[in-house]
Amino acid sequence: MIVPVDDRDVNLLRRCVDLAAEALAAGDEPFGSVLVDAGGRVLAEDRNRVGGGDHTRHPEFALARWAADHLTPADRAAATVYTSGEHCPMCAAAHAWVGLGRVVYASSAEQLASWLRTLAVPPPPVRMLPIRDVAPGVAGEGPAPGLAERVRDLHRRFHRPASPTRLVTSVDVDGREADPSEMSVSARHEAELADGGRVVLLDDRGWGLSRRSAPGADEGHDIWAAQTVDDIRATARVVVGPDEPFGGRSSKDMADEHWTHLQQTLRRHGIAVDAARLRRLPHDIVLSERVLARLGGARGDG
């Protein structure tokens, strides 16, 4: 049964999914939870920590223990646990015995069981049951559309880690570009994985030109007429880095910082890859239809 999640809960669920991603990056199974009081104040949060061999170190179980130590029975009953995945039977029992209030989850036990079957993961030693089957008095709300898909992706990466196969920079027109004397272009830099998925590495890059700054752009002509596909591709490669040296840094320093940053970004998504290997990946520049249309239209092509 799906119980709709209130829009006010979504931000807290996003935090849970972020904690699950942190767990994955640390080599743990991707689960994260947040404990909130009756007024919406975050009291405690945790992520899965079973990587050390203790498989009882679930975040929901840890929050139940914390609540038992720090909250009165009345405060526990009024509190809410937000979590990336519906409680397992162990955590649902702990939640009920401690006397905590409702549970809001981004993904359900039924969804997790289905994902693990698809991934051919052996069943766990404890059956995955809905909270209501373990603790009938606990109100559960979820799953959350959109966030559940992100949780599924984390589990897929945990059980079937995919390696990046190439870097892709997607170039698009930034805005409506109604003024022919100016151009503004965005560049989104991603790592494409072996399973076809992508991880965003840089989403804040781009560049602009005006007639005054663009060589060959005549007054009264569309500035795009002075650009070629090769110009756009070459500039895109520059703007996504490594950046130019500054502040006493050398080109090598900037390159090392750039590739380390991309490596760490992938690691936060549970993907371990050496920075040196990232440097060797193919790098493709993909121009959007809008960019190609502006280039062709400025020249009167087609």
Side-chain angles (χ1 to χ4, degrees), residues 227-241:
Q227 302 296 306
T228 67
V229 168
D230 288 343
D231 291 335
I232 299 292
R233 286 178 173 158
T235 305
R237 290 184 187 278
V238 172
V239 300
V240 297

Side-chain angles (χ1 to χ4, degrees), residues 146-189:
L147 289 178
E149 286 71 22
R150 187 178 166 200
V151 174
R152 177 186 59 189
D153 187 55
L154 293 175
H155 284 285
R156 178 186 56 77
R157 290 178 182 172
F158 178 79
H159 293 287
R160 289 186 181 176
S163 298
T165 56
R166 65 168 181 156
L167 302 177
V168 181
T169 299
S170 301
V171 180
D172 197 4
V173 176
D174 189 12
R176 296 180 61 184
E177 288 294 332
D179 186 350
S181 68
E182 296 182 353
M183 64 174 284
S184 181
V185 179
S186 64
R188 179 183 176 95
H189 196 46

Side-chain angles (χ1 to χ4, degrees), residues 3 33 38 61 71 118 123 125 133 150 153 175 195 228 248 261 270 274-276 293:
V3 178
S33 305
F61 193 82
L71 301 179
T118 300
D133 288 357
R150 187 178 166 200
D153 187 55
D195 61 5
T228 67
H261 171 73
D274 186 77

Side-chain angles (χ1 to χ4, degrees), residues 30-31 84-86 105-122 128 143-144 146-156 159-160:
F31 294 93
S84 62
E86 187 175 5
Y105 48 87
S107 60
S108 68
E110 182 181 4
Q111 286 176 314
L112 178 59
S114 174
W115 299 336
L116 296 184
R117 284 194 300 270
T118 300
L119 293 169
V121 176
M128 284 177 281
L147 289 178
E149 286 71 22
R150 187 178 166 200
V151 174
R152 177 186 59 189
D153 187 55
L154 293 175
H155 284 285
R156 178 186 56 77
H159 293 287
R160 289 186 181 176

Side-chain angles (χ1 to χ4, degrees), residues 243-251 253-254 257:
D243 294 331
E244 292 295 320
F246 71 95
R249 294 179 176 88
S250 66
S251 295
D253 293 336
M254 299 301 293
E257 290 177 14

